[in-house]
Amino acid sequence: PSPRPLHHLAQERLHAAVSKYVERERVGVLLGAPADISWGRDDVLVQPDLFVVPVDQLRAAVAANAWTPVRHLLLAVEVLSPS
């Protein structure tokens, strides 16, 4: 089932707060799910609700039109909520 409304509200509030920091400090790019992040491994696949990708790795992902070039996340956020 899809996340409940409270999950989305929490995610949006976190996005607003983290977005201000990321933009001010220019540390990377804040993105949200869905995105298949595997760190280049075949046995790992995660989809964090929010994540910050280094700029150079995002450029590589855009060029490849895939998430496989993403090897590091500067921040990964998973909002926990009852299902």
Side-chain angles (χ1 to χ4, degrees), residues 30-49:
L30 176 64
L31 299 170
D36 292 334
I37 307 296
S38 65
W39 292 289
R41 295 176 49 175
D42 293 331
D43 61 335
V44 174
L45 185 65
V46 298
Q47 288 193 354
D49 289 319

Side-chain angles (χ1 to χ4, degrees), residues 7 10 49 78-82:
H7 178 102
D49 289 319
E78 183 65 29
V79 177
L80 301 179
S81 59

